[in-house]
Amino acid sequence: MKVSRVAVPAVLAVAGLTVLSTPAFAHVSVQPEGSAAKGGYAVVDFKVPNERDNASTTKVEVTLPADHPLASVAPQALPGWKIEVTKSKLAKPLTVHGEKIGEAVTKVTWTADGEGIKPGYFQKFPLSVGQLPEDTDKLVFKAIQTYSNKEVVRWIEVPQDGQAEPENPAPVLHLSAASDDDHHGTSGASDASDSTASGDEGSDAEKTAAATTASDGHDTDTTARVLGIVGIVVGAAGVAYGVFAGRRRTAA
């Protein structure tokens, strides 16, 4: 009985470690590289995980929001993928920098030239987008994922505030508050291209700030890894102590 009482907590402790290390259910999502501020420009990554064990992802279609059309959309070239950009006429023309624009990109499609996204892997599909709207806090992009076995998963259900996440949620890009710098594109994709074209590498203060930011990010990542390892070691030590204590009680 004493051994059983010790063994049960030990098993539960090991099971707890297993649950903590199990990855959460993954779905197609979108995140900015840096910030996505209202009225500015940004590079956003659509993260597409392969959720099948017996098929690869061979096609990804992303539909841009029709209620907030984006005048500038440019995909990044990706080895192993053919990219098709679809433009459509706008019901209401956009005015950007004093110029009226009657059509905009409404869909971007990536089709694999080779194996695509194999089981156990994910792929990021970057887009440079702008000008981001100022009258909303988020943009909803609907995505369709096609597998090599012809299975199609539609990530098109719009998440609702205060409700449980739907089974196949659409990717949602949350926009941050605008600032004067964001309106001029200094923190988005527009500023990045301008800086590269001019050859301006930035002042010493800017370089120092960038180095500090990179260092902080590295330190944070290292700390998280150390804490994770410590947690596992402590859990394993607890299991070993419980078994050892049980044996001592049995021997006594």
Side-chain angles (χ1 to χ4, degrees):
M1 290 294 293
K2 292 181 179 179
V3 175
S4 298
R5 291 176 181 177
V6 174
V8 170
V11 172
L12 291 177
V14 174
L17 292 176
T18 303
V19 171
L20 289 176
S21 62
T22 302
F25 179 76
H27 52 73
V28 176
S29 60
V30 59
Q31 291 292 334
E33 295 183 6
S35 64
K38 298 177 181 179
Y41 292 79
V43 174
V44 298
D45 295 328
F46 290 89
K47 182 179 178 181
V48 182
N50 190 88
E51 298 182 322
R52 300 295 180 266
D53 297 328
N54 58 351
S56 297
T57 296
T58 56
K59 187 177 181 180
V60 176
E61 302 171 71
V62 172
T63 299
L64 280 70
D67 55 343
H68 292 94
L70 301 171
S72 175
V73 177
Q76 177 179 319
L78 288 178
W81 295 86
K82 175 185 175 183
I83 305 174
E84 180 182 357
V85 177
T86 302
K87 291 185 177 181
S88 301
K89 289 185 178 180
L90 300 175
K92 182 179 179 181
L94 296 174
T95 301
V96 180
H97 303 303
E99 180 181 354
K100 285 191 175 182
I101 299 177
E103 66 175 12
V105 175
T106 53
K107 184 170 70 174
V108 180
T109 304
W110 293 266
T111 304
D113 286 336
E115 295 181 337
I117 309 173
K118 297 184 292 184
Y121 289 83
F122 73 91
Q123 174 75 52
K124 288 184 178 180
F125 298 88
L127 284 182
S128 173
V129 297
Q131 187 173 9
L132 297 174
E134 301 181 65
D135 58 349
T136 185
D137 294 326
K138 60 185 178 182
L139 293 176
V140 178
F141 299 83
K142 296 184 179 182
I144 298 177
Q145 181 178 12
T146 302
Y147 287 91
S148 56
N149 61 1
K150 307 303 180 183
E151 179 186 1
V152 176
V153 181
R154 301 178 183 276
W155 304 96
I156 61 174
E157 299 178 63
V158 180
Q160 302 296 329
D161 295 336
Q163 298 183 15
E165 184 177 72
E167 183 177 356
N168 294 316
V172 178
L173 176 67
H174 295 277
L175 305 181
S176 59
S179 67
D180 291 339
D181 289 341
D182 293 323
H183 280 296
H184 288 86
T186 55
S187 64
S190 177
D191 177 70
S193 61
D194 292 345
S195 177
T196 302
S198 63
D200 182 11
E201 297 180 356
S203 64
D204 292 338
E206 290 172 338
K207 293 178 183 177
T208 302
T212 302
T213 301
S215 175
D216 291 343
H218 176 72
D219 291 343
T220 301
D221 182 63
T222 301
T223 301
R225 292 180 181 178
V226 171
L227 290 176
I229 294 174
V230 169
I232 294 175
V233 172
V234 171
V239 173
Y241 177 78
V243 175
F244 176 71
R247 290 179 177 175
R248 288 188 59 184
R249 292 175 184 173
T250 304

